[in-house]
Amino acid sequence: MKSKIVNYTLSLVTIVSIMLFTGCAEKRQATHLLLGASPWKFAEMPALSTLSPENQKATFSGASDSSSFTIKLKVNFKTQKSARSILNIPGILSVKSFQHNAKDRKYQNYPAYPMPDGSVPVLEATLRLYFPAEPQGKDMPVGIPLGMLEKPEGVHEVVLHFSGVRWTLYVDNELLDNDFALGYPKWGKQNTWEIDSSLVSKAEIFFPGIEPQKVVLETPRISPEIQYWTPAGHNTWVGDVATFYHQGRYHIFYLFDRRGHESKFGKGAHYFEHLSTIDFKTWTEHDAATPIEEQWETFGTGTPFLFDNKLCLSYGLHTTRIYPKEQTMLPLQWDYYNKHGVTGSFRYDTIPGYPAGSTYSISEDGISKFKKTKILFHPCENPSVYTNPEGHLRMLANYGAKGTWESKSIDGGWKSVNEAFPPGGDCTFFFRWGNYDYVIGGFTGFWSKLASASEDKFVDGVKAGLDFYNGMNVPAVTEINDGRFLLAGWIPMAGWGGALTIHEMIQSPEGRIGTKWMEEIIPATQKERSLSIEIKETSTFATGSSSSFLLTFDVEPGTDLNGKMAALLLGANAEDQACEVQISPSVKKAQYGNGQTRNFSGAEKSLREGGSTNAARNYAIDNMAGTDKPFKVRMIVKYVDKFGGSLIDTEIAGQRTMIVFRPNLKVEKLLLRSEKTGIKNVRISALKN
């Protein structure tokens, strides 16, 4: 596999050596993520049926609709323009190779790995599943662009495995795509299957399936960088993020997303994966905290918290995406609450009906190894559980409920203590910083008050233009060591998923919050070069050999309220998809807009004015601090084929950040212009990774 897929494997001894060599030069240390990914192996077993060039078609019996199954294939991939049928089981399974539209990123994002000539040949296996809502059956494809293979052409071992919960594609022992089943195939008493012997030298089918076993690696695989990270693969993204700091370790739980929420026939099939670090330089990927183990499971956002000295993770069961509310356990929970005034505690594996609502898992070692309690404690489907500074167990209810709730135990007994706040529907989080309390929503809501003030004194910061939304979706806030606070979220690239982003927060004495880059995780760069000492007229520069780079410059604000400057990021087609970062220092406003080579872009709206920061496309921020005197601007532009565009992260005066994603933009040129505002010391350096 290419390094883009499995990244690259480094010796742990090498990492330690690098860290020792760099000593105290923390900014120069590389950031790495130690991956849990490894090859998989399938035990050798007698096949139910085998095909070969001499026996290209056969029938078999004994297949059960609810049974797992495994198919092993030896396939010789060839570059070809026409579609080819590799294997076919009529009414059950079709395996094909074909040329995919290089501009079509919908659903599978196959153009993430084009061939050198720009073409996108694909291997795809489609399984037809039947379930009550789809009596005619529905096709579930898994597939890969062949460009992600180290050697796309030639013989490869392909394994297709249906476990009853997962439908997975392996190539050369690597898990490269999967989906989560809803329903089962309809096998007949006699089933016919056949292969194209010009492509397939051997095919075997096994009932029940052979459960794959992970190969234990002596040296873990490593992914460089954590900032702007996405899981390995062509259609894999970071969804909602929940963070926690416990015993010197920073935890990131994120909803693993394939296909931008389109897995499990559009039901999402999200679940929490888990990363952590003790120094923000070396990160570890742990086993999934809440793996999907049943067909009805698809999870919603929650929060990590401590209860009874145990590290716990709350989350919602979004079962109503699949089954009507009446078929779930939500009516039972609401009936209990309406009768008793507090929520009940229900062990969902002992009660008829589909589980839905709030549940939690507990870490067995205080770091990872989470185990599901299978206890429903509240009917809301996005629980934000936390222990407030006074030591009370609380929850902000989202999606399916609203308000603030309190309980002496996580296992039920929750009562409403503020029915109206927060209003619900969004993913809200509480945190206290010094003398102030804050509640932030997933997309728009932000409230603050003095910690000593009563609960009804929260002030709407969005209406006042004092929010700190910066393009991140469903941001989570966590205090780490030395009184520092971090903001983590995801940048939308593919529906309900994108790249992980982490920024550091700052606070003024008056409680105003801003954001800046976290120095420990700024991506590593190549040697810096100067573009200009001073911009005296509109100037254009080539970015050099890389479309991923760090750009820095100083701004002299001037005194004119009309003063402004802009950095225009241009691709090969000039204004097409161009992005402008515009800053008006005296009016304390900045924005991302559609770039124009002749003029500044038009005004965009801030969140207060009705704009949309969470879309991470065009928007403005206002009431900036630190722009009334000379200040520095830093911009990171990150392009990779998987993104299909450029992520642009801008830090202004070390006090505000704003992030945008520009589909189809690969930056080749910069245009800098100003009006009654000075620009000096323009420097650029390519990113190393």
Side-chain angles (χ1 to χ4, degrees):
M1 306 301 162
K2 288 185 178 179
S3 60
K4 291 184 290 185
I5 301 304
V6 298
N7 297 290
Y8 53 88
T9 304
L10 296 175
S11 167
L12 287 177
V13 175
T14 302
I15 298 173
V16 173
S17 299
I18 291 172
M19 295 178 71
L20 290 174
F21 179 79
T22 54
C24 297
E26 184 175 84
K27 292 183 182 179
R28 295 185 180 181
Q29 293 179 14
T31 302
H32 295 89
L33 170 60
L34 307 182
L35 298 168
S38 71
W40 297 80
K41 63 181 180 180
F42 291 79
E44 295 296 326
M45 296 177 62
L48 177 64
S49 181
T50 301
L51 299 179
S52 66
E54 297 73 33
N55 183 31
Q56 303 172 33
K57 188 174 182 179
T59 60
F60 59 87
S61 59
S64 167
D65 288 353
S66 60
S67 174
S68 63
F69 70 88
T70 301
I71 295 176
K72 292 183 178 181
L73 300 167
K74 287 284 188 181
V75 183
N76 186 10
F77 294 133
K78 302 176 181 179
T79 300
Q80 51 203 7
K81 293 185 178 180
S82 60
R84 297 284 295 273
S85 175
I86 295 173
L87 177 146
N88 186 43
I89 306 176
I92 303 288
L93 174 65
S94 172
V95 183
K96 296 180 179 180
S97 64
F98 57 90
Q99 287 287 342
H100 185 76
N101 183 346
K103 295 183 179 180
D104 181 7
R105 291 181 174 269
K106 294 179 181 177
Y107 195 67
Q108 281 287 72
N109 197 36
Y110 287 140
Y113 293 94
M115 299 289 278
D117 65 358
S119 65
V120 185
V122 163
L123 167 70
E124 192 169 88
T126 302
L127 182 65
R128 178 154 284 248
L129 299 175
Y130 297 81
F131 54 102
E134 293 285 346
Q136 302 303 313
K138 196 166 184 178
D139 290 339
M140 177 172 281
V142 290
I144 61 165
L146 296 183
M148 73 193 303
L149 303 178
E150 184 68 38
K151 296 180 179 179
E153 293 190 332
V155 177
H156 296 270
E157 183 177 61
V158 176
V159 178
L160 299 167
H161 180 65
F162 177 77
S163 70
V165 176
R166 289 176 173 82
W167 170 229
T168 309
L169 168 66
Y170 302 81
V171 179
D172 299 333
N173 303 315
E174 301 289 345
L175 193 166
L176 297 186
D177 194 20
N178 73 342
D179 204 337
F180 294 90
L182 194 55
Y184 295 90
K186 280 189 177 180
W187 297 97
K189 292 182 179 180
Q190 292 289 320
N191 301 278
T192 301
W193 70 321
E194 60 183 321
I195 57 171
D196 180 341
S197 60
S198 68
L199 300 176
V200 182
S201 59
K202 187 177 183 180
E204 299 173 291
I205 190 166
F206 304 85
F207 285 92
I210 307 171
E211 285 301 315
Q213 301 297 317
K214 252 188 174 184
V215 176
V216 179
L217 299 175
E218 292 185 4
T219 302
R221 292 171 173 170
I222 294 175
S223 174
E225 310 294 359
I226 192 70
Q227 190 72 298
Y228 320 126
W229 177 82
T230 63
H234 60 290
N235 58 5
T236 48
W237 308 100
V238 172
D240 291 359
V241 169
T243 58
F244 200 64
Y245 191 74
H246 177 54
Q247 295 182 344
R249 183 178 293 270
Y250 180 67
H251 296 264
I252 293 178
F253 302 90
Y254 71 92
L255 291 182
F256 182 90
D257 177 273
R258 282 193 192 268
R259 306 175 184 88
H261 206 291
E262 291 304 313
S263 289
K264 193 173 282 194
F265 299 132
K267 310 304 180 183
H270 291 134
Y271 63 95
F272 272 114
E273 287 282 4
H274 180 201
L275 313 173
S276 76
T277 182
I278 58 174
D279 60 3
F280 296 97
K281 306 306 295 184
T282 300
W283 297 68
T284 300
E285 183 177 44
H286 303 283
D287 289 340
T290 62
I292 290 179
E293 299 167 309
E294 303 286 347
Q295 285 201 1
W296 56 263
E297 286 182 313
T298 179
F299 302 141
T301 312
T303 50
F305 62 98
L306 282 180
F307 180 70
D308 196 21
N309 293 318
K310 295 177 181 178
L311 177 60
C312 304
L313 176 64
S314 68
Y315 52 98
L317 304 179
H318 279 209
T319 320
T320 51
R321 292 177 182 169
I322 303 173
Y323 297 101
K325 180 179 178 180
E326 294 71 27
Q327 294 181 25
T328 73
M329 298 178 188
L330 290 176
L332 172 67
Q333 295 179 76
W334 281 119
D335 287 347
Y336 185 97
Y337 173 73
N338 291 332
K339 182 180 294 185
H340 300 279
V342 296
T343 66
S345 179
F346 301 93
R347 178 85 186 211
Y348 65 68
D349 57 346
T350 65
I351 303 172
Y354 294 106
S358 299
T359 186
Y360 70 107
S361 293
I362 300 176
S363 170
E364 295 181 338
D365 62 1
I367 297 175
S368 58
K369 299 180 180 178
F370 283 83
K371 185 177 181 180
K372 297 173 183 175
T373 62
K374 299 184 179 180
I375 293 173
L376 295 172
F377 63 85
H378 195 284
C380 98
E381 295 177 63
N382 273 356
S384 181
V385 178
Y386 63 99
T387 301
N388 71 6
E390 288 71 39
H392 300 137
L393 192 63
R394 286 201 157 190
M395 181 185 73
L396 306 181
N398 308 280
Y399 189 60
K402 62 180 182 178
T404 304
W405 299 66
E406 193 169 288
S407 179
K408 294 181 179 179
S409 169
I410 183 68
D411 297 332
W414 290 89
K415 61 180 179 180
S416 175
V417 295
N418 190 335
E419 187 176 309
F421 180 83
D426 208 343
C427 302
T428 47
F429 299 94
F430 168 91
F431 64 100
R432 176 172 292 176
W433 190 348
N435 296 323
Y436 293 88
D437 286 345
Y438 305 90
V439 172
I440 183 172
F443 305 107
T444 60
F446 171 65
W447 302 268
S448 65
K449 71 174 184 66
L450 283 168
S452 58
S454 60
E455 297 271 333
D456 61 350
K457 299 301 181 181
F458 274 104
V459 176
D460 190 328
V462 171
K463 287 184 178 180
L466 300 176
D467 64 274
F468 53 87
Y469 285 98
N470 64 354
M472 289 188 196
N473 279 232
V474 193
V477 178
T478 296
E479 182 179 6
I480 60 170
N481 55 309
D482 300 325
R484 299 167 70 189
F485 280 73
L486 300 185
L487 181 74
W490 56 278
I491 306 304
M493 294 177 172
W496 208 261
L500 173 68
T501 307
I502 305 167
H503 283 177
E504 187 168 350
M505 304 169 73
I506 58 175
Q507 185 191 46
S508 71
E510 299 78 26
R512 175 79 189 277
I513 288 180
T515 52
K516 64 179 183 178
W517 289 354
M518 186 181 189
E519 295 296 328
E520 292 95 326
I521 61 172
I522 294 175
T525 59
Q526 307 284 358
K527 185 177 180 180
E528 186 181 64
R529 60 188 176 92
S530 175
L531 295 181
S532 176
I533 299 300
E534 184 174 6
I535 301 295
K536 296 183 178 180
E537 58 184 20
T538 299
S539 303
T540 303
F541 306 92
T543 59
S545 59
S546 177
S547 291
S548 296
F549 54 86
L550 167 64
L551 177 71
T552 66
F553 51 87
D554 298 325
V555 177
E556 300 280 350
T559 58
D560 196 304
L561 288 177
N562 295 317
K564 56 187 174 182
M565 60 75 50
L568 181 59
L569 306 171
L570 298 160
N573 298 320
E575 291 187 1
D576 188 28
Q577 308 299 331
C579 177
E580 182 197 75
V581 180
Q582 185 184 127
I583 303 173
S584 301
S586 295
V587 295
K588 304 182 185 303
K589 193 165 187 175
Q591 67 173 43
Y592 285 112
N594 293 329
Q596 305 175 49
T597 56
R598 295 180 180 274
N599 302 294
F600 287 93
S601 63
E604 299 292 338
K605 294 181 179 180
S606 67
L607 191 60
R608 173 180 59 88
E609 297 166 329
S612 176
T613 58
N614 65 286
R617 299 301 188 261
N618 289 346
Y619 67 90
I621 59 173
D622 47 19
N623 291 321
M624 291 194 304
T627 61
D628 55 346
K629 56 186 178 180
F631 61 91
K632 182 178 289 294
V633 175
R634 298 193 289 181
M635 296 173 57
I636 287 179
V637 177
K638 175 81 169 181
Y639 175 88
V640 293
D641 285 334
K642 178 178 179 177
F643 293 176
S646 294
L647 183 152
I648 305 161
D649 186 355
T650 302
E651 180 197 64
I652 303 170
Q655 300 191 53
R656 285 300 300 271
T657 59
M658 52 191 307
I659 315 167
V660 72
F661 174 63
R662 273 293 191 274
N664 304 313
L665 175 61
K666 186 175 184 179
V667 180
E668 296 185 1
K669 292 186 296 183
L670 304 171
L671 185 152
L672 295 174
R673 61 160 61 98
S674 64
E675 184 177 284
K676 301 175 182 178
T677 299
I679 306 174
K680 295 182 177 180
N681 303 320
V682 184
R683 306 183 71 82
I684 191 171
S685 51
L687 301 188
K688 285 186 176 180
N689 300 297

